[in-house]
Amino acid sequence: MSKHVAMIYGGWSAERDVSLSTGREVSKALREKGYAVSEIDATRDLARQITSLSPKPDVIFNALHGRWGEDGAVQGLLEILNIPYTHSGVRASAIAMDKMSAKALFRENGLPCAKHIYVSRDDIKNGIALPPPYVLKPNNEGSSVGVEIILNAEEEENMLARDWVHGDGVMQEEYVAGREMTVAVKDGEAMEVIEILTGNHAFYDYQSKYANGGSQHIIPADVPSALRTRVRDCAEQAYRALGCRGVARADFRYDPEHDRLAILEINTQPGLTPTSLVPDAARHEGMSFADIVAWMVEDATCER
């Protein structure tokens, strides 16, 4: 008898549309692999939605993205319900979603980070924050939601004149010029390094990530073997530092002029949409999309 997988997706975070796309792809792949799949568009009554399923799910495939679904909250609920689930557990999910907390652990473990501070808009207005160029990031959003690159004083002035809808406190991070790279880590082992080319976009923003043709993924990245090893080692170290499980993805910037590598963040529930990076990394290793999601199901446990 095939496993009954309840695939939870949607929800109400800023990344709902991304989650819906991930969920559609995952459901199709799991059915292709012979699993019985129930789809749940998550609401705040998720516990009832899950427990009302018959038969009881053998596994929860967590295809939620963003706050609540990716920050340890749902993971805690699933542990209370005692149903094995995919991706990382409560602690790793909560830390990874809180950018300042993740950076603290990265630094503690000797990983290369760009200078960063937690600031308010008033701090920026009063000149007690980092000077341009810098990057502003909501402290607990994903998929580059709300991220802005401020290159000069004029851009800073324009930013301050606009309404900011992502909370008063943000992470301000030194801007590292250069190349964008990412590494998926599966069960603690780094996959191939991917370079992301974003064309006319200043960085790997929401549009670059999810629009067809928004970015180009170069796999393997055209980098010297020593740099490839360095990036992969950093990704594995970040995965271990946070206590991640399943498949996660670490993002980096590399400044070739100064041979400077900086880890940006680790994503504990990377997208599985038609334009996502993890499927590319899996294909490079000879795994189809259906293979990688089936691996996640078989890897699922209740204590992650």
Side-chain angles (χ1 to χ4, degrees):
M1 184 175 175
S2 62
K3 281 185 180 175
H4 178 200
V5 180
M7 198 276 303
I8 56 175
Y9 70 140
W12 59 90
S13 78
E15 297 178 63
R16 173 177 169 80
D17 288 345
V18 181
S19 177
L20 290 172
S21 180
T22 286
R24 285 191 292 267
E25 297 300 314
V26 168
S27 287
K28 185 166 62 177
L30 290 178
R31 290 189 174 102
E32 178 186 320
K33 284 290 188 178
Y35 294 99
V37 181
S38 296
E39 297 180 8
I40 297 176
D41 188 343
T43 71
R44 292 184 185 273
D45 199 13
L46 180 58
R48 182 197 57 78
Q49 290 178 285
I50 293 172
T51 56
S52 65
L53 291 176
S54 182
K56 177 184 175 181
D58 298 300
V59 171
I60 301 291
F61 194 106
N62 187 356
L64 293 167
H65 295 306
R67 281 192 278 181
W68 189 73
E70 198 170 348
D71 62 5
V74 161
Q75 291 78 8
L77 171 64
L78 298 176
E79 290 190 7
I80 291 169
L81 294 176
N82 197 34
I83 304 176
Y85 61 95
T86 61
H87 299 89
S88 292
V90 175
R91 176 182 177 273
S93 300
I95 294 172
M97 197 66 178
D98 185 305
K99 292 182 175 61
M100 289 297 292
S101 296
K103 292 283 191 183
L105 261 184
F106 294 156
R107 290 172 66 92
E108 223 175 83
N109 283 269
L111 288 162
C113 297
K115 186 176 180 181
H116 56 278
I117 55 175
Y118 189 73
V119 298
S120 69
R121 289 167 62 80
D122 285 341
D123 292 333
I124 299 172
K125 286 177 183 176
N126 296 330
I128 56 176
L130 299 177
Y134 59 77
V135 185
L136 286 180
K137 301 179 178 181
N139 191 52
N140 57 354
E141 293 281 6
S143 289
S144 301
V145 171
V147 173
E148 292 193 40
I149 295 179
I150 307 299
L151 297 177
N152 51 52
E154 182 181 357
E155 289 184 4
E156 181 177 77
E157 191 174 321
N158 291 336
M159 177 272 296
L160 290 170
R162 289 186 273 109
D163 288 334
W164 178 265
V165 298
H166 301 288
D168 183 56
V170 297
M171 186 177 80
Q172 186 188 36
E173 183 175 37
E174 173 194 5
Y175 175 67
V176 178
R179 301 166 73 176
E180 190 114 22
M181 298 181 194
T182 192
V183 181
V185 182
K186 173 177 165 281
D187 198 25
E189 186 173 341
M191 300 172 84
E192 187 53 85
V193 179
I194 301 176
E195 181 171 11
I196 305 161
L197 305 181
T198 57
N200 295 327
H201 297 264
F203 68 106
Y204 194 43
D205 60 9
Y206 189 95
Q207 190 71 11
S208 300
K209 288 178 177 177
Y210 302 116
N212 286 327
S215 63
Q216 185 180 0
H217 304 165
I218 308 300
I219 181 168
D222 184 14
V223 296
S225 60
L227 176 58
R228 175 183 177 274
T229 298
R230 191 167 143 206
V231 176
R232 293 178 78 245
D233 286 349
C234 283
E236 290 179 0
Q237 194 174 347
Y239 183 101
R240 290 193 301 270
L242 268 66
C244 296
R245 294 287 300 271
V247 176
R249 196 193 74 234
D251 298 334
F252 299 87
R253 293 283 290 187
Y254 176 68
D255 176 0
E257 186 177 344
H258 301 97
D259 188 29
R260 182 187 181 193
L261 182 69
I263 185 167
L264 302 179
E265 61 184 4
I266 194 160
N267 187 332
T268 55
Q269 285 177 215
L272 296 169
T273 73
T275 60
S276 292
L277 293 151
V278 167
D280 282 353
R283 277 190 292 272
H284 185 76
E285 296 201 355
M287 297 181 77
S288 68
F289 184 84
D291 289 337
I292 191 69
V293 297
W295 181 90
M296 293 179 191
V297 167
E298 297 304 321
D299 176 66
T301 64
C302 193
E303 296 180 1
R304 304 194 64 87

